[in-house]
Amino acid sequence: KQRKYLQTTIDKYVGYMAEVVKGNLTIRLPFGAKQEDDDPLVVLGRNLNETVASLQGMILQIREAANDLSSAASEILAATTQQVVGANEQSVAISQTTTTVDEVKVISEQAIQRSQEVVDASQHTVQISRSGEEAVQETVGNMAQIKARVEGIAESILALSTQAQQI
């Protein structure tokens, strides 16, 4: 009976981890009130649930950050478009009025500086997005390692169970 319990529990955990590795972070291992808190498999399962819940929270935070970055990029694009329109209007004014050439030159230099700042901010946004993607990939890799460890623990438990039965 104990061996069957161990095998069933391990199979359930391995299936659970396979779903997590696929990216399904919404599932949880079910535990009833009857299960003992001192059972190492129950403790392991609850810890796995907590880990996946934490990962799910991190993913949500990353998504929120990506949405914030997307909004910021849209605002930067709108500002850049406005600056381009302004630069075109300034160019027409330069052609029509030679007496304001020095003033327009100063305004153009400021527009170039702002454009460079926008380019720098855009490049920073891309770097942050890449970092977020790398964090997600690292999380997926860590989940695969957790799965491998759980399988190793499962094999050890089965081996110990077999040894216990032999004794």
Side-chain angles (χ1 to χ4, degrees):
K1 182 178 178 181
Q2 178 68 17
R3 181 173 174 80
K4 184 176 180 178
Y5 166 72
L6 289 173
Q7 186 62 48
T8 302
T9 303
I10 290 168
D11 289 345
K12 183 173 37 170
Y13 286 9
V14 168
Y16 173 73
M17 292 308 297
E19 283 298 310
V20 170
V21 168
K22 289 179 188 175
N24 184 358
L25 301 179
T26 60
I27 63 171
R28 299 292 183 268
L29 290 167
F31 293 102
K34 296 179 183 178
Q35 292 180 313
E36 300 175 19
D37 287 336
D38 61 346
D39 182 345
L41 289 177
V42 172
V43 171
L44 175 63
R46 288 190 173 138
N47 286 338
L48 288 173
N49 278 345
E50 289 175 13
T51 300
V52 171
S54 293
L55 287 172
Q56 186 180 24
M58 286 189 295
I59 296 290
L60 289 175
Q61 289 176 344
I62 290 169
R63 283 185 184 154
E64 288 174 9
N67 288 338
D68 291 345
L69 289 174
S70 177
S71 296
S74 295
E75 291 174 11
I76 290 169
L77 179 61
T80 302
T81 302
Q82 288 176 350
Q83 289 178 356
V84 168
V85 169
N88 287 337
E89 291 173 357
Q90 291 170 2
S91 177
V92 170
I94 290 171
S95 298
Q96 295 175 352
T97 311
T98 58
T99 57
T100 59
V101 170
D102 290 335
E103 293 175 2
V104 172
K105 180 182 174 189
V106 170
I107 293 171
S108 295
E109 289 173 353
Q110 290 174 350
I112 290 170
Q113 183 180 5
R114 287 186 198 129
S115 295
Q116 184 60 47
E117 291 171 1
V118 169
V119 167
D120 293 343
S122 297
Q123 289 173 344
H124 183 69
T125 300
V126 167
Q127 290 172 346
I128 291 172
S129 296
R130 287 184 181 146
S131 295
E133 182 180 358
E134 290 172 6
V136 169
Q137 292 299 327
E138 183 178 308
T139 299
V140 169
N142 288 340
M143 290 307 299
Q145 290 177 355
I146 291 171
K147 177 186 175 198
R149 288 180 183 161
V150 167
E151 289 174 349
I153 291 170
E155 290 173 11
S156 296
I157 290 172
L158 287 175
L160 288 173
S161 175
T162 301
Q163 291 174 359
Q165 287 178 352
Q166 289 174 353
I167 291 172

